[in-house]
């Protein structure tokens, strides 16, 4: 196990950070009292909190919120059941998905949900717009989304540009603030209608 305070100082030296993501086993006290803009601490499902104590941290005079992450597919399968209809009533996009099957959904907004891991949306076949930014996603399966035009997956932990089955349809692609290594950029030459990157 890693000492909590050493990990914090090494991974989050900027005291102005607004969120911290704990994704490994830590022990001891994680003292965040010097972080005055810290709004959230997200804790991975793989972390055992029994040897970790979190202290301090504030945001605009309020105590920092500690939020446990949710496995992405568990969330998707609960809110958008495979053999049922969407149970989410409050969504950001103008189109409401409540009561729709996965194949009927054209816009999906799951940003800032503390989701982590792999996201498989291959059976949302009519999806045109997807915003899954500001989570802790490591992989996206969009293999059957030939109608996808807008993809925002910024601020995640992706290591590669997601495979897009119909890159000609993409008009808006946001992939910044991930762990994407320099790779073959040939995919961009196929995005003839790209307006925003």
């Amino acid at each position: 196990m890693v000492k909590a305070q050493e990990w914090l100082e090494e991974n989050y030296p900027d005291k102005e950070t607004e969120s911290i993501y704990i994704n490994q086993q830590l022990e001891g006290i994680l003292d965040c009292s010097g972080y005055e803009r810290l709004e959230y601490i997200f804790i991975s499902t793989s972390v055992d909190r029994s040897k970790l104590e979190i202290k301090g941290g504030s945001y605009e005079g309020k105590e920092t919120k500690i939020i446990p992450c949710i496995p992405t597919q568990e969330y998707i399968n609960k809110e958008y059941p495979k053999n049922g209809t969407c149970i989410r009533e409050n969504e950001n996009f103008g189109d409401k998905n409540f009561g729709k099957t996965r194949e009927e959904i054209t816009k999906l907004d799951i940003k800032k949900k503390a989701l982590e891991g792999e996201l498989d949306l291959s059976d949302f076949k009519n999806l045109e717009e997807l915003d899954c930014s500001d989570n802790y996603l490591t992989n996206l399966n969009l293999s059957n989304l030939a109608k996808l035009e807008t993809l925002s997956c910024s601020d995640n932990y992706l290591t590669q540009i997601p495979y897009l089955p119909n890159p000609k349809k993409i008009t808006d692609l946001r992939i910044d603030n991930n762990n994407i290594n320099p790779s073959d950029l040939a995919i961009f030459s196929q995005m003839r209608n790209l307006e925003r990157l």
Side-chain angles (χ1 to χ4, degrees):
M1 283 210 183
V2 177
K3 298 281 185 201
Q5 202 60 32
E6 290 174 14
W7 177 88
L8 180 64
E9 290 167 8
E10 182 179 322
N11 290 281
Y12 293 92
D14 181 4
K15 302 276 192 213
E16 297 295 308
T17 191
E18 296 174 1
S19 69
I20 291 174
Y21 175 50
I22 302 172
N23 62 348
Q24 68 181 73
Q25 301 304 331
L26 302 177
E27 68 178 359
I29 298 172
L30 189 76
D31 185 357
C32 302
S33 58
Y35 293 78
E36 295 178 4
R37 297 194 63 206
L38 186 61
E39 190 170 0
Y40 302 106
I41 297 175
F42 295 97
I43 302 178
S44 173
T45 56
S46 64
V47 172
D48 175 7
R49 290 193 52 195
S50 65
K51 296 182 180 175
L52 176 64
E53 181 183 345
I54 300 172
K55 284 187 172 181
S58 63
Y59 176 72
E60 295 181 350
K62 299 176 191 166
E63 191 173 317
T64 299
K65 296 175 186 166
I66 299 173
I67 301 174
C69 289
I70 304 166
T72 303
Q73 276 320 118
E74 183 180 300
Y75 173 84
I76 292 294
N77 291 338
K78 178 182 174 229
E79 303 292 327
Y80 306 90
K82 277 189 177 194
N83 297 316
T85 60
C86 172
I87 63 170
R88 272 189 79 203
E89 293 192 48
N90 300 321
E91 297 190 73
N92 294 331
F93 276 126
D95 286 354
K96 302 295 181 195
N97 290 329
F98 181 76
K100 292 183 180 179
T101 65
R102 288 183 178 195
E103 286 193 11
E104 293 173 322
I105 294 172
T106 58
K107 298 177 182 181
L108 185 61
D109 183 351
I110 54 172
K111 69 178 173 279
K112 296 184 180 182
K113 299 288 182 206
L115 304 176
E116 71 175 351
E118 297 188 13
L119 174 59
D120 182 351
L121 295 175
S122 57
D123 51 355
F124 285 73
K125 295 176 182 170
N126 291 305
L127 206 57
E128 297 171 3
E129 295 180 34
L130 171 62
D131 189 345
C132 58
S133 56
D134 293 297
N135 283 297
Y136 301 95
L137 304 177
T138 55
N139 189 36
L140 289 179
N141 180 356
L142 310 174
S143 59
N144 292 330
L145 306 186
K147 296 183 178 182
L148 193 65
E149 296 175 9
T150 301
L151 171 61
S152 181
C153 55
S154 302
D155 299 300
N156 276 291
Y157 279 71
L158 301 173
T159 56
Q160 59 187 8
I161 298 169
Y163 167 73
L164 301 164
N166 192 0
K168 291 181 286 203
K169 289 284 277 185
I170 300 294
T171 59
D172 190 336
L173 178 64
R174 299 175 201 182
I175 57 174
D176 54 305
N177 295 326
N178 276 287
N179 295 331
I180 297 174
N181 294 319
S183 60
D184 181 7
L185 302 178
I187 184 73
F188 295 111
S189 67
Q190 299 172 33
M191 296 182 188
R192 296 184 188 103
N193 295 306
L194 192 63
E195 298 170 5
R196 183 174 179 170
L197 175 62

